Amino acid sequence: MICTYYSHYIGFEKIADLLQKEFPKGILSISGPGEDKIAQLVIKGGLFSPSVTIRVSYRERAFPSYQLPEIDDSPLTANLKGLYGYITSLPASNEQLKHLLLAKVSTINSEFSVEQEPQDTKDIKPLLQKLATEFDAIIFTQPGTLISKSDGQHFLDNNLALILDTSGNSEIEKLSVSIESKYFDKEQSQLSDDQIRRKERSEALLKVRSIKVNLSLPCINAESETLIRTPKEIATRLCVLAVTNFVANNVIPADIAIAYLQQYDLWAQTTPAEKEFLGNPTEARKNTESWKSECIYTLMWALGKIDELDLPGQLCNLNDIPEQDYPVGAEKDPNTFINSISETRSAAEILDANDLYYRIDWACVDARLANVQLEEAISGVVYERHYALNWLIRYGEQDWDDVSCDT
């Protein structure tokens, strides 16, 4: 196998057409039932050259959409969830690019692999490029192929440039995430009044602030469809984040943080990624983890400990929170804080904030892809607050380490 393509777009017939156009003298045959199909093209050899077979194995989701569903609708969906988890586990020199890659995986509707037998007997790189361009695909490949860009497993974009490899390397700065509007239209056919009003309020606020608005972005879930995380769940997550953030900002060493979390029975609530960080808190990891201050700020707001979740034009300052309201500290039992929390802000308030940050996050991604500076918002602040808000509303029922910020 040379490589595997993943695309938001479906269309086996398009693959067959490209094969025939690229090799007009080849003999094309089609096989396979339902969503799983195989296009095989045989190029007959000559007196001193063997015949060459190019095989493309294709499958698509039973119900194409713009996001991965909770319940698997096909074997491909289960595979995509595994792929999402694999990418999540990879290191990345460019975290924002990795998040864009994950966002693109969430939109995938088709998968097809390309093989050539005998290997490397025919230059099919032009075909591989055309398939990538036509399907706006991401490509998963191994080292040593016609299009390889790394010594380990890696992902390429539709220009065959390196997005990410197993060492965290990249050679691009941006990645487009396109979604067909027909999927939005289908999902948005029946909307509640609160969904429509929420979207309109957010868009109006962004226009006042001169932040670009994408009118095609859909409404988020309605209040009737949303179950906010419990007060205790939020308070517990907040305590773990706050301790980990102390390490990221060099307030305490990692071994003290681990001992603190274990002493107060919070180690079991510490996520695998947080445990990995505390086990090896490099300077690069500290820098990444320090951004979680914005998540702490957002969760404190959700618990009513902060009055306003301002627009993200500047970094939050956790020092502004009164010491008596902060959940952790020297000689302070975090369970006292956890047990004192009995309510959160309303679902309407949290959804209002989520909708707004969802749209600002899109504007940040759009600005980054256009290589322009968005003056009205700091993209890192937006992303972390959007992350926390998505966790609060149980977006995709994802655990903390796996929260996605689709735009």
Side-chain angles (χ1 to χ4, degrees), residues 324-335:
Q324 65 269 20
D325 286 339
Y326 209 68
V328 301
E331 306 301 324
K332 184 182 283 191
D333 183 348
N335 292 293

Side-chain angles (χ1 to χ4, degrees), residues 24 37-38 145 152 171 180 184 278 291 306 371 382 387 406:
K37 296 183 175 67
I38 296 174
T145 74
E171 62 179 16
E180 290 188 279
F184 285 143
L278 293 173
W291 280 98
I306 291 172
N371 199 28
V382 174
Y387 191 103
D406 302 326

Side-chain angles (χ1 to χ4, degrees), residues 5-6 104 125-139 141 146-149 154-163 171-176 369:
Y5 289 72
Y6 295 96
K104 201 167 180 74
K125 190 171 181 178
L127 170 66
L128 300 179
Q129 174 64 81
K130 288 177 182 177
L131 286 169
T133 301
E134 187 69 25
F135 282 84
D136 185 30
I138 54 174
I139 305 167
T141 190
L146 289 168
I147 56 174
S148 295
K149 293 291 185 73
H154 54 288
F155 295 88
L156 305 176
D157 70 358
N158 60 0
N159 292 313
L160 307 185
L162 178 64
I163 305 172
E171 62 179 16
I172 60 173
E173 294 294 327
K174 56 188 179 181
L175 182 68
S176 64
L369 294 177

